[in-house]
Amino acid sequence: MTMSNHGGDCCKSGPGYATPLLAMSGLRENLIYVAAIYTGTGQDKPDYLATVDVDPSSSTYSSVIHRLSMPFLGDELHHSGWNSCSSCHSDPSCERRYLILPSLLSGRIYVVDTKTNPKEPSLHRVVEPAEVLEKTGLAYPHQPHCLASGDLLVSCLGDKDGNAGGSGFLLLDSEFNVKRRWEKEGSSPLFGYDFWYQPRHETMISTSWGAPAAFTKGFDLKDVSDGLYGKLLHVYSWPEGELKQILDLGDNGLLPLEIRFLHDPTKATGFTGCALSSTIVRFFKNEDETWSHEVAISVKPLKVENWILPEMPGLITDFLISLDDRFLYFSNWLHGDIRQYNIEDPKNPVLTGQLHVGGLVQKGSHVFALGEEDETFQFDVPMIKDQRLRGGPQMFQLSLDGNRLYVTNSLFSVWDKQFYPELVEKGSHMLQIDVDTDKGGLSINPNFFVDFGFEPDGPSLAHEMRYPGGDCTSDIWV
């Protein structure tokens, strides 16, 4: 990977960084944007984008300093992405200005201006769901990624009736006008969720959550056996959008959610986190240009008492990879722990850190785990600023240098209410974990705790996080 100097003047480059390793030397984060949700909580308030101060030298450190409320109710903000990122670094006409916020339930796509005043973002535009439906038939927008062309690609999880068979990819132009479906006719995925592209290998791969008609009602194990949830990876030609291969992950890959290639754009391998199977699956390219997969990490279920099932999966709901491709981090939303693995050898990840920051089996809970001889136990979970930690670790964001991991705990409002009703009642919180990037290891920063239970309009649910300058889950290198 080499840096383009654009005629010798680095200041004329586009957004982001020329390489992932150069990004690690970028400025330390001082703000982070957090999607905060009232939809599904019983509060008749709009979702909002919270600006959180993460500068330790600031008088407002570890607090929400601004709230941009959406103009409508019932959106369910979820994931987000940028109009432009490091994939556009070679184009000096591009700038990272707008944060894209799809609404999973309403179908609206909000475009937020973060450049005019980074501490107080403002609403720039709304892409209406009726237009998206009319031109593409797509609904339930989820994950946006910017493209080197200046266009924007958004995964959509179904049609207007919540059928997974209607899922696909929405292509917006640089002004956020609806262009068309990205994938070729007859190449739509069987399920939708996340995706990542690796241009040097002319490949994009997408994952499979489930049919919106199923997951919006809450989780029902019967829906899995009825085929309403996915276990597939869809391999596309890039940028043509032709479905070349479907990888069936089987029972070891139920509900593959997040997907990440290694950041090094020369590498033809990556991982996906499979929630229900509680596995991290590695995918890789073969010599004949086809793709294969194997289970890289598996989390054993806990035998439990006083829960809805006799065994509890970890439920891996988010993961990310450090920009130097050395460490992988994932969350076990139900077990309540965060794990750090060294993946310098991607075929053989090594556990280097583990930390419990919540979960259903923490001390004080009514749920107990059973040991090998059926002795009961619960996990020690620390208090932060005299507060008991609620819910389980869910969404992550990692500092560019890899030293700080930010964590929120809301998954999806209906599922929060089902598995962690206390979250809906008392609100989310946000933590910061200090990371040992030398020998490995995780520890809680006791001075950082953002409690969304005391928001002006009442307790809210905190989900995905973004830095104004990009991060390891938004930026792709070409």
Side-chain angles (χ1 to χ4, degrees), residues 36 38 43 45-46 48-51 63-69 426 450-460:
Y38 281 121
Q43 300 188 70
K45 300 288 184 180
Y48 62 102
L49 183 68
T51 304
S63 66
V64 178
I65 60 173
H66 183 261
R67 299 163 185 87
L68 173 64
S69 293
K426 297 184 178 180
V450 182
D451 195 339
F452 285 85
F454 293 97
E455 287 292 88
D457 285 334
S460 65

PDB file of all heavy atoms in Angstrom, residues 36 38 43 45-46 48-51 63-69 426 450-460:
ATOM      1  N   ALA A  36     -29.311   7.138  19.259  1.00  0.00           N
ATOM      2  CA  ALA A  36     -30.088   6.950  20.492  1.00  0.00           C
ATOM      3  C   ALA A  36     -31.562   6.776  20.124  1.00  0.00           C
ATOM      4  O   ALA A  36     -32.101   7.557  19.335  1.00  0.00           O
ATOM      5  CB  ALA A  36     -29.894   8.123  21.435  1.00  0.00           C
ATOM      6  N   TYR A  38     -35.707   5.975  20.926  1.00  0.00           N
ATOM      7  CA  TYR A  38     -36.921   5.920  21.744  1.00  0.00           C
ATOM      8  C   TYR A  38     -37.958   4.978  21.143  1.00  0.00           C
ATOM      9  O   TYR A  38     -38.860   4.515  21.853  1.00  0.00           O
ATOM     10  CB  TYR A  38     -37.533   7.313  21.908  1.00  0.00           C
ATOM     11  CG  TYR A  38     -36.837   8.163  22.946  1.00  0.00           C
ATOM     12  CD1 TYR A  38     -36.278   9.384  22.601  1.00  0.00           C
ATOM     13  CD2 TYR A  38     -36.732   7.730  24.266  1.00  0.00           C
ATOM     14  CE1 TYR A  38     -35.635  10.169  23.552  1.00  0.00           C
ATOM     15  CE2 TYR A  38     -36.089   8.502  25.213  1.00  0.00           C
ATOM     16  CZ  TYR A  38     -35.548   9.719  24.868  1.00  0.00           C
ATOM     17  OH  TYR A  38     -34.913  10.480  25.812  1.00  0.00           O
ATOM     18  N   GLN A  43     -42.040   5.330  24.843  1.00  0.00           N
ATOM     19  CA  GLN A  43     -42.000   6.783  24.962  1.00  0.00           C
ATOM     20  C   GLN A  43     -42.282   7.409  23.598  1.00  0.00           C
ATOM     21  O   GLN A  43     -41.660   7.040  22.608  1.00  0.00           O
ATOM     22  CB  GLN A  43     -40.640   7.241  25.487  1.00  0.00           C
ATOM     23  CG  GLN A  43     -40.319   6.673  26.866  1.00  0.00           C
ATOM     24  CD  GLN A  43     -39.078   7.291  27.451  1.00  0.00           C
ATOM     25  OE1 GLN A  43     -39.064   8.456  27.822  1.00  0.00           O
ATOM     26  NE2 GLN A  43     -38.013   6.523  27.543  1.00  0.00           N
ATOM     27  N   LYS A  45     -41.452   9.727  21.691  1.00  0.00           N
ATOM     28  CA  LYS A  45     -40.410  10.704  21.362  1.00  0.00           C
ATOM     29  C   LYS A  45     -39.650  10.227  20.127  1.00  0.00           C
ATOM     30  O   LYS A  45     -39.534   9.024  19.880  1.00  0.00           O
ATOM     31  CB  LYS A  45     -39.425  10.858  22.526  1.00  0.00           C
ATOM     32  CG  LYS A  45     -40.059  11.329  23.822  1.00  0.00           C
ATOM     33  CD  LYS A  45     -40.473  12.791  23.752  1.00  0.00           C
ATOM     34  CE  LYS A  45     -41.028  13.274  25.084  1.00  0.00           C
ATOM     35  NZ  LYS A  45     -41.436  14.700  25.032  1.00  0.00           N
ATOM     36  N   PRO A  46     -39.089  11.171  19.344  1.00  0.00           N
ATOM     37  CA  PRO A  46     -38.299  10.759  18.186  1.00  0.00           C
ATOM     38  C   PRO A  46     -36.914  10.269  18.592  1.00  0.00           C
ATOM     39  O   PRO A  46     -36.361  10.688  19.617  1.00  0.00           O
ATOM     40  CB  PRO A  46     -38.209  12.038  17.355  1.00  0.00           C
ATOM     41  CG  PRO A  46     -38.307  13.142  18.364  1.00  0.00           C
ATOM     42  CD  PRO A  46     -39.237  12.631  19.432  1.00  0.00           C
ATOM     43  N   TYR A  48     -32.816  10.101  18.185  1.00  0.00           N
ATOM     44  CA  TYR A  48     -31.925  11.245  18.028  1.00  0.00           C
ATOM     45  C   TYR A  48     -30.477  10.793  17.885  1.00  0.00           C
ATOM     46  O   TYR A  48     -30.125   9.646  18.192  1.00  0.00           O
ATOM     47  CB  TYR A  48     -32.073  12.224  19.193  1.00  0.00           C
ATOM     48  CG  TYR A  48     -31.729  11.673  20.563  1.00  0.00           C
ATOM     49  CD1 TYR A  48     -30.520  11.966  21.179  1.00  0.00           C
ATOM     50  CD2 TYR A  48     -32.649  10.885  21.272  1.00  0.00           C
ATOM     51  CE1 TYR A  48     -30.220  11.488  22.441  1.00  0.00           C
ATOM     52  CE2 TYR A  48     -32.354  10.404  22.531  1.00  0.00           C
ATOM     53  CZ  TYR A  48     -31.129  10.703  23.123  1.00  0.00           C
ATOM     54  OH  TYR A  48     -30.835  10.220  24.375  1.00  0.00           O
ATOM     55  N   LEU A  49     -29.664  11.718  17.400  1.00  0.00           N
ATOM     56  CA  LEU A  49     -28.230  11.503  17.316  1.00  0.00           C
ATOM     57  C   LEU A  49     -27.581  12.264  18.460  1.00  0.00           C
ATOM     58  O   LEU A  49     -27.675  13.492  18.533  1.00  0.00           O
ATOM     59  CB  LEU A  49     -27.680  11.988  15.970  1.00  0.00           C
ATOM     60  CG  LEU A  49     -26.178  11.750  15.744  1.00  0.00           C
ATOM     61  CD1 LEU A  49     -25.896  10.255  15.602  1.00  0.00           C
ATOM     62  CD2 LEU A  49     -25.687  12.512  14.519  1.00  0.00           C
ATOM     63  N   ALA A  50     -26.944  11.527  19.354  1.00  0.00           N
ATOM     64  CA  ALA A  50     -26.280  12.138  20.510  1.00  0.00           C
ATOM     65  C   ALA A  50     -24.818  12.399  20.174  1.00  0.00           C
ATOM     66  O   ALA A  50     -24.136  11.551  19.589  1.00  0.00           O
ATOM     67  CB  ALA A  50     -26.385  11.227  21.723  1.00  0.00           C
ATOM     68  N   THR A  51     -24.339  13.580  20.530  1.00  0.00           N
ATOM     69  CA  THR A  51     -22.911  13.891  20.438  1.00  0.00           C
ATOM     70  C   THR A  51     -22.316  13.743  21.834  1.00  0.00           C
ATOM     71  O   THR A  51     -22.761  14.403  22.775  1.00  0.00           O
ATOM     72  CB  THR A  51     -22.684  15.327  19.932  1.00  0.00           C
ATOM     73  OG1 THR A  51     -23.343  15.500  18.680  1.00  0.00           O
ATOM     74  CG2 THR A  51     -21.198  15.603  19.758  1.00  0.00           C
ATOM     75  N   SER A  63     -19.979  12.881  28.659  1.00  0.00           N
ATOM     76  CA  SER A  63     -21.370  13.321  28.735  1.00  0.00           C
ATOM     77  C   SER A  63     -21.897  13.644  27.346  1.00  0.00           C
ATOM     78  O   SER A  63     -21.134  13.886  26.407  1.00  0.00           O
ATOM     79  CB  SER A  63     -21.502  14.561  29.634  1.00  0.00           C
ATOM     80  OG  SER A  63     -20.843  15.677  29.063  1.00  0.00           O
ATOM     81  N   VAL A  64     -23.220  13.629  27.224  1.00  0.00           N
ATOM     82  CA  VAL A  64     -23.877  14.026  25.980  1.00  0.00           C
ATOM     83  C   VAL A  64     -23.918  15.546  25.938  1.00  0.00           C
ATOM     84  O   VAL A  64     -24.450  16.190  26.852  1.00  0.00           O
ATOM     85  CB  VAL A  64     -25.310  13.451  25.906  1.00  0.00           C
ATOM     86  CG1 VAL A  64     -26.005  13.919  24.621  1.00  0.00           C
ATOM     87  CG2 VAL A  64     -25.282  11.924  25.959  1.00  0.00           C
ATOM     88  N   ILE A  65     -23.355  16.133  24.880  1.00  0.00           N
ATOM     89  CA  ILE A  65     -23.288  17.598  24.803  1.00  0.00           C
ATOM     90  C   ILE A  65     -24.245  18.167  23.760  1.00  0.00           C
ATOM     91  O   ILE A  65     -24.429  19.384  23.696  1.00  0.00           O
ATOM     92  CB  ILE A  65     -21.849  18.078  24.508  1.00  0.00           C
ATOM     93  CG1 ILE A  65     -21.338  17.515  23.179  1.00  0.00           C
ATOM     94  CG2 ILE A  65     -20.928  17.703  25.658  1.00  0.00           C
ATOM     95  CD1 ILE A  65     -19.993  18.095  22.750  1.00  0.00           C
ATOM     96  N   HIS A  66     -24.857  17.291  22.946  1.00  0.00           N
ATOM     97  CA  HIS A  66     -25.828  17.779  21.957  1.00  0.00           C
ATOM     98  C   HIS A  66     -26.720  16.625  21.536  1.00  0.00           C
ATOM     99  O   HIS A  66     -26.300  15.461  21.515  1.00  0.00           O
ATOM    100  CB  HIS A  66     -25.126  18.365  20.725  1.00  0.00           C
ATOM    101  CG  HIS A  66     -26.062  18.946  19.713  1.00  0.00           C
ATOM    102  ND1 HIS A  66     -26.455  18.247  18.579  1.00  0.00           N
ATOM    103  CD2 HIS A  66     -26.692  20.146  19.665  1.00  0.00           C
ATOM    104  CE1 HIS A  66     -27.289  19.005  17.881  1.00  0.00           C
ATOM    105  NE2 HIS A  66     -27.449  20.148  18.509  1.00  0.00           N
ATOM    106  N   ARG A  67     -27.970  16.963  21.212  1.00  0.00           N
ATOM    107  CA  ARG A  67     -28.934  15.954  20.756  1.00  0.00           C
ATOM    108  C   ARG A  67     -29.647  16.493  19.518  1.00  0.00           C
ATOM    109  O   ARG A  67     -30.282  17.542  19.586  1.00  0.00           O
ATOM    110  CB  ARG A  67     -29.945  15.638  21.862  1.00  0.00           C
ATOM    111  CG  ARG A  67     -29.302  15.083  23.113  1.00  0.00           C
ATOM    112  CD  ARG A  67     -30.217  15.148  24.327  1.00  0.00           C
ATOM    113  NE  ARG A  67     -29.521  14.714  25.531  1.00  0.00           N
ATOM    114  CZ  ARG A  67     -28.786  15.522  26.303  1.00  0.00           C
ATOM    115  NH1 ARG A  67     -28.675  16.814  25.992  1.00  0.00           N
ATOM    116  NH2 ARG A  67     -28.171  15.038  27.365  1.00  0.00           N
ATOM    117  N   LEU A  68     -29.516  15.774  18.414  1.00  0.00           N
ATOM    118  CA  LEU A  68     -30.226  16.125  17.188  1.00  0.00           C
ATOM    119  C   LEU A  68     -31.408  15.172  17.050  1.00  0.00           C
ATOM    120  O   LEU A  68     -31.245  14.008  16.680  1.00  0.00           O
ATOM    121  CB  LEU A  68     -29.311  16.019  15.967  1.00  0.00           C
ATOM    122  CG  LEU A  68     -30.001  16.205  14.608  1.00  0.00           C
ATOM    123  CD1 LEU A  68     -30.564  17.622  14.465  1.00  0.00           C
ATOM    124  CD2 LEU A  68     -29.049  15.867  13.464  1.00  0.00           C
ATOM    125  N   SER A  69     -32.603  15.676  17.357  1.00  0.00           N
ATOM    126  CA  SER A  69     -33.806  14.834  17.260  1.00  0.00           C
ATOM    127  C   SER A  69     -34.249  14.722  15.807  1.00  0.00           C
ATOM    128  O   SER A  69     -34.230  15.692  15.048  1.00  0.00           O
ATOM    129  CB  SER A  69     -34.939  15.432  18.102  1.00  0.00           C
ATOM    130  OG  SER A  69     -34.628  15.370  19.476  1.00  0.00           O
ATOM    131  N   LYS A 426     -34.704   1.613  32.222  1.00  0.00           N
ATOM    132  CA  LYS A 426     -33.703   2.489  32.823  1.00  0.00           C
ATOM    133  C   LYS A 426     -32.725   3.088  31.820  1.00  0.00           C
ATOM    134  O   LYS A 426     -31.912   3.942  32.188  1.00  0.00           O
ATOM    135  CB  LYS A 426     -32.920   1.726  33.897  1.00  0.00           C
ATOM    136  CG  LYS A 426     -33.788   1.272  35.060  1.00  0.00           C
ATOM    137  CD  LYS A 426     -32.954   0.597  36.140  1.00  0.00           C
ATOM    138  CE  LYS A 426     -33.810   0.177  37.329  1.00  0.00           C
ATOM    139  NZ  LYS A 426     -33.001  -0.485  38.379  1.00  0.00           N
ATOM    140  N   VAL A 450     -21.323   7.040  30.363  1.00  0.00           N
ATOM    141  CA  VAL A 450     -22.390   7.889  29.844  1.00  0.00           C
ATOM    142  C   VAL A 450     -23.704   7.160  30.081  1.00  0.00           C
ATOM    143  O   VAL A 450     -23.945   6.096  29.506  1.00  0.00           O
ATOM    144  CB  VAL A 450     -22.201   8.188  28.345  1.00  0.00           C
ATOM    145  CG1 VAL A 450     -23.312   9.115  27.849  1.00  0.00           C
ATOM    146  CG2 VAL A 450     -20.834   8.805  28.091  1.00  0.00           C
ATOM    147  N   ASP A 451     -24.545   7.718  30.933  1.00  0.00           N
ATOM    148  CA  ASP A 451     -25.787   7.069  31.331  1.00  0.00           C
ATOM    149  C   ASP A 451     -26.943   7.673  30.544  1.00  0.00           C
ATOM    150  O   ASP A 451     -27.350   8.813  30.777  1.00  0.00           O
ATOM    151  CB  ASP A 451     -26.017   7.246  32.826  1.00  0.00           C
ATOM    152  CG  ASP A 451     -27.088   6.306  33.358  1.00  0.00           C
ATOM    153  OD1 ASP A 451     -27.916   5.828  32.562  1.00  0.00           O
ATOM    154  OD2 ASP A 451     -27.082   6.048  34.575  1.00  0.00           O
ATOM    155  N   PHE A 452     -27.466   6.891  29.591  1.00  0.00           N
ATOM    156  CA  PHE A 452     -28.601   7.346  28.800  1.00  0.00           C
ATOM    157  C   PHE A 452     -29.929   7.180  29.553  1.00  0.00           C
ATOM    158  O   PHE A 452     -30.988   7.431  29.002  1.00  0.00           O
ATOM    159  CB  PHE A 452     -28.640   6.597  27.465  1.00  0.00           C
ATOM    160  CG  PHE A 452     -27.587   7.067  26.489  1.00  0.00           C
ATOM    161  CD1 PHE A 452     -26.299   6.556  26.538  1.00  0.00           C
ATOM    162  CD2 PHE A 452     -27.883   8.035  25.542  1.00  0.00           C
ATOM    163  CE1 PHE A 452     -25.325   6.997  25.653  1.00  0.00           C
ATOM    164  CE2 PHE A 452     -26.917   8.489  24.653  1.00  0.00           C
ATOM    165  CZ  PHE A 452     -25.634   7.965  24.707  1.00  0.00           C
ATOM    166  N   GLY A 453     -29.837   6.779  30.800  1.00  0.00           N
ATOM    167  CA  GLY A 453     -31.033   6.685  31.624  1.00  0.00           C
ATOM    168  C   GLY A 453     -31.509   8.027  32.155  1.00  0.00           C
ATOM    169  O   GLY A 453     -32.622   8.135  32.665  1.00  0.00           O
ATOM    170  N   PHE A 454     -30.650   9.039  32.032  1.00  0.00           N
ATOM    171  CA  PHE A 454     -30.994  10.355  32.569  1.00  0.00           C
ATOM    172  C   PHE A 454     -31.053  11.415  31.473  1.00  0.00           C
ATOM    173  O   PHE A 454     -30.742  12.582  31.711  1.00  0.00           O
ATOM    174  CB  PHE A 454     -29.978  10.755  33.649  1.00  0.00           C
ATOM    175  CG  PHE A 454     -30.059   9.888  34.874  1.00  0.00           C
ATOM    176  CD1 PHE A 454     -29.197   8.814  35.030  1.00  0.00           C
ATOM    177  CD2 PHE A 454     -31.009  10.134  35.843  1.00  0.00           C
ATOM    178  CE1 PHE A 454     -29.270   7.997  36.151  1.00  0.00           C
ATOM    179  CE2 PHE A 454     -31.096   9.326  36.978  1.00  0.00           C
ATOM    180  CZ  PHE A 454     -30.225   8.253  37.132  1.00  0.00           C
ATOM    181  N   GLU A 455     -31.480  11.007  30.297  1.00  0.00           N
ATOM    182  CA  GLU A 455     -31.643  11.951  29.200  1.00  0.00           C
ATOM    183  C   GLU A 455     -32.848  12.861  29.450  1.00  0.00           C
ATOM    184  O   GLU A 455     -33.797  12.474  30.151  1.00  0.00           O
ATOM    185  CB  GLU A 455     -31.803  11.203  27.887  1.00  0.00           C
ATOM    186  CG  GLU A 455     -30.514  10.580  27.375  1.00  0.00           C
ATOM    187  CD  GLU A 455     -29.509  11.644  26.958  1.00  0.00           C
ATOM    188  OE1 GLU A 455     -28.738  12.098  27.828  1.00  0.00           O
ATOM    189  OE2 GLU A 455     -29.503  12.046  25.791  1.00  0.00           O
ATOM    190  N   PRO A 456     -32.849  14.081  28.898  1.00  0.00           N
ATOM    191  CA  PRO A 456     -33.928  15.043  29.180  1.00  0.00           C
ATOM    192  C   PRO A 456     -35.329  14.524  28.867  1.00  0.00           C
ATOM    193  O   PRO A 456     -36.281  14.858  29.579  1.00  0.00           O
ATOM    194  CB  PRO A 456     -33.565  16.229  28.281  1.00  0.00           C
ATOM    195  CG  PRO A 456     -32.096  16.137  28.107  1.00  0.00           C
ATOM    196  CD  PRO A 456     -31.775  14.682  28.094  1.00  0.00           C
ATOM    197  N   ASP A 457     -35.465  13.701  27.823  1.00  0.00           N
ATOM    198  CA  ASP A 457     -36.778  13.159  27.458  1.00  0.00           C
ATOM    199  C   ASP A 457     -37.021  11.761  28.003  1.00  0.00           C
ATOM    200  O   ASP A 457     -37.954  11.081  27.583  1.00  0.00           O
ATOM    201  CB  ASP A 457     -36.936  13.156  25.935  1.00  0.00           C
ATOM    202  CG  ASP A 457     -37.184  14.549  25.378  1.00  0.00           C
ATOM    203  OD1 ASP A 457     -37.715  15.393  26.123  1.00  0.00           O
ATOM    204  OD2 ASP A 457     -36.848  14.787  24.202  1.00  0.00           O
ATOM    205  N   GLY A 458     -36.169  11.325  28.918  1.00  0.00           N
ATOM    206  CA  GLY A 458     -36.338  10.009  29.515  1.00  0.00           C
ATOM    207  C   GLY A 458     -35.314   9.011  29.008  1.00  0.00           C
ATOM    208  O   GLY A 458     -34.543   9.296  28.082  1.00  0.00           O
ATOM    209  N   PRO A 459     -35.270   7.824  29.620  1.00  0.00           N
ATOM    210  CA  PRO A 459     -34.270   6.816  29.260  1.00  0.00           C
ATOM    211  C   PRO A 459     -34.354   6.437  27.781  1.00  0.00           C
ATOM    212  O   PRO A 459     -35.435   6.218  27.233  1.00  0.00           O
ATOM    213  CB  PRO A 459     -34.641   5.621  30.153  1.00  0.00           C
ATOM    214  CG  PRO A 459     -35.403   6.219  31.293  1.00  0.00           C
ATOM    215  CD  PRO A 459     -36.146   7.377  30.721  1.00  0.00           C
ATOM    216  N   SER A 460     -33.186   6.354  27.132  1.00  0.00           N
ATOM    217  CA  SER A 460     -33.125   5.979  25.721  1.00  0.00           C
ATOM    218  C   SER A 460     -32.153   4.822  25.542  1.00  0.00           C
ATOM    219  O   SER A 460     -31.382   4.481  26.454  1.00  0.00           O
ATOM    220  CB  SER A 460     -32.719   7.168  24.851  1.00  0.00           C
ATOM    221  OG  SER A 460     -31.401   7.593  25.154  1.00  0.00           O
TER     222      SER A 460
END
